[in-house]
Amino acid sequence: MAAGVSIATVSNVVNGTKPATPAVQRRVLSAIERLGYLPDLHARTLRTGASRSLGLVVPDLTNPYFPALVQAIETTARDLGFVLIVMDAGNDAERETEALALLASYRVAGVVWVPVEHERSLDWPYPIVTVDRTVPGCDTVVADHGQGGALIGRHALALGHRRIGLLSGPRALPSAADRRSAFLDAVAGHAEIAWELPVPFSSDLPREVVARLAEPDCSLVVCANDAVAVGVLRAARDAGLRVPDDLSVIGFDDVPWADFVEPGLTTVRQPLAALGRNAVSTLHARIADPGRPLHHETLPVTLVERRSAMPVTPPPTGVRP
Amino acid sequence: MAAGVSIATVSNVVNGTKPATPAVQRRVLSAIERLGYLPDLHARTLRTGASRSLGLVVPDLTNPYFPALVQAIETTARDLGFVLIVMDAGNDAERETEALALLASYRVAGVVWVPVEHERSLDWPYPIVTVDRTVPGCDTVVADHGQGGALIGRHALALGHRRIGLLSGPRALPSAADRRSAFLDAVAGHAEIAWELPVPFSSDLPREVVARLAEPDCSLVVCANDAVAVGVLRAARDAGLRVPDDLSVIGFDDVPWADFVEPGLTTVRQPLAALGRNAVSTLHARIADPGRPLHHETLPVTLVERRSAMPVTPPPTGVRP
DNA sequence: AACGACAGGTTAAACGTTTAACCGTCCTTG
DNA sequence: CAAGGACGGTTAAACGTTTAACCTGTCGTT
């Protein structure tokens, strides 16, 4: 090499594998500096078999849920010495499979996966940790959707709501189902479900839903999502209803603009950053010890109270005390 | 190899480099299938010197501007046969430099870069295309901020606004400066700038600004950003002002929730997807031909009219016709 | 019948690392 | 003073590809 020293020695000083004479160290380091040498990570990976890259596959980056998650994942991955290869599945299962295969070819050390759909039989040559969804045989980090549902239920009760409308999300989605049933359990016996309608995660509510909203027979509507909560806000306004005076609404997710709509949405916040951090540390642990027992972790969520849900002040239709 | 054939032959059939007998093809392909063989891209890159990965460095993924951009970049990169290594600089110049160095070690074929700060002298061993900011010596794809400013100016005039407040963004940011001066040019001689205040890109407006907003001496305030526009909406509401009846406001960016606030923000939309697509195709072209002349591309923006800016109906203070 | 061209296959070198094995020197030590 | 470690360095093999060079039949041409 240009430092008048062998290649192996260079390797040893850059990695500190073997001790070297100060003089040699200086020479090597200065030559590196001078030539702008950077080790070739491909060659390194090829030789050692230990890849320093992680994959991340998400259904749709533009979902407001993801940016904070991705950021946390990338940051902690890099702090652990890994590089993150990100792939957007475009909500398409086929494209998702391609992504996973491509990552296999790239010999990633592991992948963080947010599956577009539930259930999929697969065996990939790398460890996987799933986030927010669970796949058999994979480590998992999820938010406690059940707790979220319960939190909402208890809050609704505490605010004095006794007749509640429920806009539940896609029935097939486990997280939405968890939310729903925990909520139902929490209010059971204390409040009445005026009606329940399943809606997609969108601000564009089905016609029948906005019709129902126009003449509410409840004091609160609990929404599957912040997106649908925004739809409710809009429908209420169009119907001349004031939120929260005439109608309270509660969302889920705490999207970045939950505080920007009028009134600010009371909602449940998922610990996105923690989810991301723990996902990659879980993955890291599994990479270090492939034989360790399966790890399922569920992180607490928090209720964030804003102005869209308030106590029922004039008793809705005060029948009995 | 397990197909009773040499390694080289396998390479030839998977890449179609050299013709092979149908029988051999079948044997190889079936062996590949059977063993679940996937080529090692590290080895491939090492040997050919042609990396199939691109880097992406952004200041802060949680900025609502980025998700759509990143998605477009990832998608078109993958369609071109590249894999995307994403890095978040956390708005920190130092971390950004680390990111660029790490990408160099990874021998990426090129990188798409949205610099956290303007101006930086550097020479990296890969081609770079910058997005939304320009760096000397790099290919560039930007939105036409000047056009955006002009669009706003003309729209304001068309709506009949004659006294306008201006909340301009960080002076040091070229894009914000372009917007501002084009806007000023567009309205010059036809409308009066009641006041101008530089503010950071945030919904939390400085105290003095909300004070000024409380007693507006203008019919329209033009904001540096959708974020600050939201701040203005909020301040106006707190001051008992109705938007757009008492005051019109115009933003910039068309963030995902611009249509969710009340009233919907009229603003300028940047062609995020096109920006991303063109960035990687520009990069691709440069990779194919390192000697081609520098390519600077600026993409048109569009005005999206919603309800936060309306014609002045009662002439503001009708002095002369 | 002899030869050349060519198609289809193999061998071996090379990419840039890491690492085990090896080899001098010098210092210590019995 | 001879022998034996440490210590600091070098050599060479190996990782999984690609690719140039090479080999070997087969076939078509004269």
Side-chain angles (χ1 to χ4, degrees), chain A residues 37-56:
Chain A
Y37 163 84
L38 287 173
D40 184 319
L41 265 12
H42 292 288
R44 173 126 77 198
T45 295
L46 178 58
R47 168 63 224 233
T48 64
S51 164
R52 297 306 278 175
S53 54
L54 262 29
L56 171 63

Side-chain angles (χ1 to χ4, degrees), chain A residues 100-279:
Chain A
L100 291 166
L102 193 49
L103 287 174
S105 252
Y106 255 90
R107 302 292 190 264
V108 292
V111 353
V112 179
W113 183 25
V114 185
V116 331
E117 295 181 345
H118 21 286
E119 307 301 333
R120 187 85 61 79
S121 68
L122 34 65
D123 55 336
W124 295 102
Y126 39 68
I128 294 181
V129 49
T130 61
V131 175
D132 200 46
R133 284 151 164 82
T134 134
V135 166
C138 297
D139 292 317
T140 297
V141 179
V142 297
D144 194 337
H145 293 269
Q147 182 206 6
L151 241 30
I152 291 176
R154 288 202 291 274
H155 187 58
L157 260 22
L159 292 177
H161 295 281
R162 293 300 175 259
R163 281 187 62 82
I164 302 175
L166 182 53
L167 254 23
S168 47
R171 220 44 162 279
L173 202 62
S175 54
D178 287 355
R179 262 126 79 161
R180 172 180 176 276
S181 65
F183 168 77
L184 256 20
D185 287 354
V187 299
H190 300 96
E192 193 179 340
I193 302 302
W195 43 262
E196 173 180 4
L197 296 169
V199 296
F201 285 144
S202 159
S203 299
D204 296 319
L205 303 178
R207 205 166 284 288
E208 76 227 57
V209 174
V210 333
R212 168 143 258 153
L213 254 15
E215 300 177 22
D217 50 352
C218 58
S219 62
L220 162 69
V221 11
V222 170
C223 304
N225 214 356
D226 283 350
V228 346
V230 166
V232 170
L233 252 33
R234 204 184 273 162
R237 187 170 49 237
D238 292 348
L241 259 36
R242 293 166 308 162
V243 174
D245 310 75
D246 300 327
L247 184 68
S248 281
V249 2
I250 298 185
F252 205 105
D253 275 353
D254 193 31
V255 294
W257 61 89
D259 197 21
F260 291 166
V261 303
E262 180 52 31
L265 274 180
T266 109
T267 185
V268 169
R269 174 183 303 160
Q270 304 197 39
L272 262 19
L275 239 27
R277 275 195 307 270
N278 293 13

Side-chain angles (χ1 to χ4, degrees), chain B residues 31-121:
Chain B
I32 285 181
E33 182 69 21
R34 182 158 39 84
L35 307 185
Y37 163 84
L38 288 173
D40 184 321
L41 265 12
H42 292 289
R44 172 128 73 199
T45 296
L46 177 58
R47 169 63 227 237
T48 64
S51 164
R52 296 306 278 173
S53 55
L54 262 29
L56 170 63
V57 180
V58 296
D60 177 13
L61 274 172
T62 63
N63 181 323
Y65 177 86
F66 289 120
L69 185 68
V70 175
Q71 184 176 55
I73 290 174
E74 198 279 319
T75 303
T76 93
R78 187 129 60 95
D79 287 344
L80 254 36
F82 289 86
V83 120
L84 222 222
I85 299 179
V86 175
M87 301 199 171
D88 186 316
N91 276 322
D92 177 39
E94 192 178 341
R95 201 169 166 80
E96 182 180 61
T97 306
E98 287 172 15
L100 292 166
L102 193 49
L103 288 174
S105 252
Y106 256 89
R107 302 291 190 264
V108 292
V111 352
V112 178
W113 184 25
V114 186
V116 331
E117 294 181 347
H118 20 285
E119 307 300 334
R120 187 84 61 78
S121 69

Side-chain angles (χ1 to χ4, degrees), chain A residues 31-101:
Chain A
I32 285 181
E33 181 69 21
R34 182 158 38 85
L35 307 185
Y37 163 84
L38 287 173
D40 184 319
L41 265 12
H42 292 288
R44 173 126 77 198
T45 295
L46 178 58
R47 168 63 224 233
T48 64
S51 164
R52 297 306 278 175
S53 54
L54 262 29
L56 171 63
V57 180
V58 296
D60 176 14
L61 274 172
T62 63
N63 181 323
Y65 177 86
F66 289 120
L69 185 68
V70 176
Q71 184 176 55
I73 291 174
E74 198 279 319
T75 303
T76 93
R78 187 128 59 95
D79 287 344
L80 254 37
F82 289 86
V83 120
L84 222 222
I85 298 180
V86 175
M87 301 199 171
D88 185 316
N91 275 321
D92 176 40
E94 191 178 341
R95 202 169 166 80
E96 182 180 59
T97 306
E98 287 172 16
L100 291 166

